[in-house]
Amino acid sequence: MSIALLKHSAIQHYLQSELLNEPIRIHVMDSIDSTNRFLKDLPQSHSIEVCCAEAQTDGRGRFGRQWHSPFGKNIYFSLRWHIKGELSQQSGMSLVVSMAVLAALQDMNINDVRIKWPNDLVWQGQKLCGSLIEALLDRTTGADVIIGIGLNVSSSVDELALLNRPSCSLYDITGVHFDRNVIIARLITRLIQHLERFSNQGFLPFLPVWQQTDDVYGKMIHVTQPTGSLSGIAKGVNEGGQLILIDESGKTHYLSSGETSFQKRTTHFD
Ligand code: BTN
């Protein structure tokens, strides 16, 4: 198997011409502790900063977990985005990011991938991609967010088996070792399109897409949050991107963040 290495010129080449006027700066690394950390420490700029690496030595996942990042196999990618409004009004952004990744995959004819609220991309119940969004606050310039995406592209079955949950790669889905330069170009294009639309129109226009790709709708789930956990039937998301969860007593909860797992029990209640 020969896998193309990441190359700045190749990513630029594949970027759609509609983005040529966007001020984008792409940092391509051999190895870095974390692409999210790299962008956090960059000085303020007017550019959309992107970092991708062949390997991460301290890749970070959600809830303080480690993100296994072997050399040359997968995508470890971060994009820094300046928020125009208040940070508190960005609920739904992590769902929009997942929909952007999904759109990038669909551009390459990779279908059948679904989104497990809030931001895992899954295929046949196995995790393909996760994202970690971190906020950077500055009193004078407002807020930036760092959007970090870890996407399994060509990790072997043995490597995936080391992870703490059932996981898969694009190779498992398609039998193809994709050129990561193409995927990164599609990710940049789709993220910018989706984030611009979200910033102008909010979450509402994304709701129909969410409904088509929601992997948890109607299922009995368990949501873990730093403050506790809840179980119930998932009923989609509201206009702000919050998960609607109906617990066993019939009470409706609206959740903004957390980690979802499926309950063994399959009986549904309405
Ligand atoms: C998750 O736990 O599902 C989120 C994983 C996010 C991993 C990516 S890899 C690129 C970026 N840099 C990091 O250190 N983490 C994110």
Side-chain angles (χ1 to χ4, degrees):
M1 152 183 105
S2 95
I3 292 182
L5 290 179
L6 297 178
K7 238 176 139 187
H8 188 277
S9 57
I11 298 170
Q12 284 288 357
H13 170 78
Y14 292 121
L15 271 181
Q16 299 285 297
S17 52
E18 72 243 34
L19 284 185
L20 287 180
N21 293 329
E22 294 275 359
I24 305 171
R25 254 198 341 200
I26 304 171
H27 308 263
V28 179
M29 308 286 177
D30 254 8
S31 178
I32 186 111
D33 51 354
S34 152
T35 55
N36 266 31
R37 201 279 311 149
F38 176 83
L39 290 190
K40 256 192 209 168
D41 291 348
L42 276 188
Q44 282 289 333
S45 80
H46 293 293
S47 302
I48 298 166
E49 306 278 357
V50 170
C51 178
C52 49
E54 294 287 3
Q56 293 184 123
T57 54
D58 189 21
R60 289 176 278 166
R62 297 179 72 221
F63 303 106
R65 293 199 193 103
Q66 189 204 0
W67 188 259
H68 182 58
S69 311
F71 186 93
K73 297 282 176 76
N74 302 315
I75 285 180
Y76 319 115
F77 165 99
S78 303
L79 180 142
R80 194 166 85 181
W81 180 256
H82 187 66
I83 287 178
K84 293 190 186 109
E86 294 281 309
L87 193 58
S88 57
Q89 286 164 3
Q90 306 301 314
S91 92
M93 181 188 274
S94 67
L95 282 61
V96 168
V97 165
S98 299
M99 286 185 268
V101 179
L102 199 72
L105 297 179
Q106 287 167 349
D107 289 341
M108 297 178 306
N109 277 325
I110 301 162
N111 299 301
D112 303 332
V113 175
R114 300 182 68 75
I115 307 174
K116 187 167 145 212
W117 184 90
N119 43 20
D120 282 355
L121 266 63
V122 294
W123 176 73
Q124 298 187 351
Q126 304 167 87
K127 180 160 171 168
L128 171 70
C129 176
S131 48
L132 174 69
I133 303 182
E134 299 178 279
L136 265 185
L137 287 170
D138 184 300
R139 282 211 184 92
T140 49
T141 55
D144 281 2
V145 283
I146 313 282
I147 296 164
I149 293 169
L151 170 65
N152 299 329
V153 179
S154 290
S155 259
S156 66
V157 171
D158 289 350
E159 277 161 340
L160 293 170
L162 295 174
L163 306 180
N164 57 5
R165 68 182 69 202
S167 300
C168 67
S169 67
L170 291 182
Y171 181 74
D172 293 331
I173 302 177
T174 62
V176 173
H177 289 296
F178 279 89
D179 181 348
R180 291 167 301 148
N181 295 296
V182 176
I183 305 176
I184 286 171
R186 293 313 306 158
L187 282 177
I188 296 172
T189 306
R190 288 303 195 171
L191 276 169
I192 292 175
Q193 274 175 0
H194 278 62
L195 290 167
E196 269 170 1
R197 188 165 192 213
F198 177 64
S199 136
N200 295 328
Q201 300 175 40
F203 185 74
L204 197 55
F206 294 97
L207 203 45
V209 179
W210 181 268
Q211 287 162 348
Q212 283 160 25
T213 53
D214 183 349
D215 194 50
V216 303
Y217 187 91
K219 293 181 183 162
M220 182 78 188
I221 60 167
H222 188 75
V223 180
T224 311
Q225 297 181 305
T227 48
S229 57
L230 275 170
S231 296
I233 301 283
K235 288 288 181 186
V237 299
N238 65 13
E239 295 175 5
Q242 292 173 305
L243 178 76
I244 305 165
L245 189 80
I246 303 184
D247 72 18
E248 243 157 325
S249 71
K251 187 173 173 208
T252 303
H253 302 263
Y254 300 95
L255 308 181
S256 299
S257 68
E259 185 169 52
T260 309
S261 54
F262 292 112
Q263 293 278 87
K264 290 240 162 43
R265 221 186 74 174
T266 49
T267 36
H268 291 192
F269 50 85
D270 283 309

